[in-house]
Amino acid sequence: MNHSAVVRLLTEGLPPIGDQDPTAAPFPLQTLERSPLALDSPGRASERPWVPREKNGLRWLERPAPGLPAPVYLTGPATSTLDVARLLAEADLFPEWASVLSLSQSAGRGQMRRAWASPAGNLYSALRLPLAPPFDVAPAPACGALFAEALSRLNCPVMLKWPNDLLQAAPSFRPGLPPRRNDCLKVGGMLLEERRGALFAGTGLNLASCPPASTLRDNYAFSAGVLRDAHGAPLLSPQPERQKIDSKNKDIVTIFTLWLRLAASLFSCYAQEQTLEPWWPALAQRHLAFRGCRVTLADACPERETMVRIPCEGVVDGVTESGALRLNTAYGTETFLGGSLLPSDGNEEPFPQDAPSPE
């Protein structure tokens, strides 16, 4: 029996970090069934009692959750799931593969420290990853590849926009053609943070709502969208509708039941792939967005010249073991450790796949 396969309800919240608001508000047990984070499907009575626990000054209610690799914590509104994970780790309550789900975030953050809109109804999680290969070398694309694979195993195909954004195709998307801004929808993303020797992946998935284009920054790459399954149905459809659409996933009706399966799949995929050879680049290749397409890489940071940032155009070829994006450019095959993939403007000329290297 895996004694760490439990769900923990933080009914007393968490204290603030520094001068900010309390890190997490309490999550009263009596409100759980009415919450988007509800553990059980509507009408299904729980057969597992909650047991009070306490350690290092923190208290919670706990019950078994078979199939999990480590504890999952549930909180009310939080500043950020990454803040919650940090405090739990400092209290020695957040081992590798532990995770936290928060009802909403008041200070969610994305890439470049941008604010992440976090209303209730979407999935906001933080997961502790092993600070070991591949996450010690290429944490963002390796984590993105794992999430893309896990979601695909749940009949929810997504594309990995290097290094760690999750996209789904819009009806206008055509494989092999340069993508335009509205050809793909951003349905999720993640932010990796290392704190005192612990690595955390903060992840957001749009399940119920997404930011309108009017609220996105001026140079946004792709519009936002709500995550859907292979049939085009939202993952949190009511139970009767889900049964008609896809009996395989009919139990995914709450954020918690989705995360239960997703966390188990993430760990299973990681555990199965552990070999002496680097495994994650092939996983990234399987889900990599825009392979064979001409793209623009803004603020491109070449792997061989890490202090120089340039705009670059090329054809997406793959991802290297170091996590770099490989592009076929006018100067040959180049690799980049940083940059932002931008959509096509629809006016590109054909780009040579095998361009000659300069003399």
Side-chain angles (χ1 to χ4, degrees), residues 9 11 26-34 39 50 61 63:
L9 196 65
T11 55
F27 205 139
L29 179 60
Q30 60 269 26
T31 67
L32 188 58
E33 288 188 7
R34 300 189 302 274
L39 272 66
W50 291 94
L61 296 177
R63 80 181 201 191

Side-chain angles (χ1 to χ4, degrees), residues 51-274:
V51 178
R53 302 288 190 192
E54 179 179 356
K55 182 179 178 181
N56 295 337
L58 297 181
R59 298 181 180 87
W60 65 89
L61 296 177
E62 176 178 302
R63 80 181 201 191
L68 287 172
V72 171
Y73 292 83
L74 302 184
T75 80
T79 54
S80 166
T81 56
L82 287 167
D83 293 337
V84 175
R86 171 185 168 184
L87 285 186
L88 291 173
E90 291 175 354
D92 194 28
L93 289 168
F94 209 69
E96 291 178 356
W97 297 103
S99 56
V100 57
L101 293 173
S102 291
L103 184 61
S104 61
Q105 299 180 130
S106 61
R109 47 192 183 267
Q111 298 296 326
M112 308 297 292
R113 315 303 290 183
R114 299 186 183 100
W116 182 291
S118 309
N122 294 330
L123 185 151
Y124 310 110
S125 70
L127 172 70
R128 182 172 178 179
L129 296 170
L131 199 53
F135 305 118
D136 58 342
V137 176
C143 184
L146 268 182
F147 267 88
E149 174 69 12
L151 283 166
S152 294
R153 291 184 180 188
L154 297 183
N155 198 34
C156 184
V158 295
M159 296 179 288
L160 172 62
K161 176 179 173 284
W162 179 88
N164 57 352
D165 280 343
L166 299 175
L167 305 179
Q168 285 192 317
S172 59
F173 177 76
R174 296 295 180 267
L177 296 181
R180 295 168 297 178
R181 174 169 287 183
N182 293 320
D183 288 342
C184 295
L185 301 175
K186 181 178 176 179
V187 296
M190 56 203 69
L191 178 68
L192 280 289
E193 288 188 357
E194 184 179 347
R195 298 275 187 175
R196 298 183 180 180
L199 180 63
F200 307 113
T203 303
L205 296 177
N206 298 334
L207 300 181
S209 64
C210 61
S214 61
T215 65
L216 302 178
R217 64 184 190 276
D218 291 339
N219 62 338
Y220 71 92
F222 295 99
S223 300
V226 173
L227 186 67
R228 298 175 181 273
D229 68 12
H231 301 284
L235 290 190
L236 302 190
S237 298
Q239 184 81 353
E241 180 181 348
R242 170 62 56 190
Q243 287 179 320
K244 294 178 182 178
I245 296 173
D246 183 5
S247 60
K248 177 181 177 182
N249 286 335
K250 63 184 179 182
D251 56 331
I252 299 181
V253 294
T254 72
I255 293 174
F256 178 79
T257 50
L258 170 61
W259 182 253
L260 187 73
R261 297 186 66 180
L262 194 54
S265 184
L266 287 167
F267 178 75
S268 173
C269 179
Y270 171 80
Q272 290 174 5
E273 298 285 358
Q274 289 303 291

Side-chain angles (χ1 to χ4, degrees), residues 304-335:
R304 62 182 181 179
E305 300 175 38
T306 56
M307 298 305 293
V308 179
R309 288 186 173 270
I310 58 173
C312 175
E313 289 188 355
V315 174
V316 177
D317 184 54
V319 179
T320 70
E321 294 177 7
S322 64
L325 179 69
R326 190 168 58 240
L327 295 181
N328 291 329
T329 74
Y331 303 101
T333 299
E334 301 283 345
T335 55

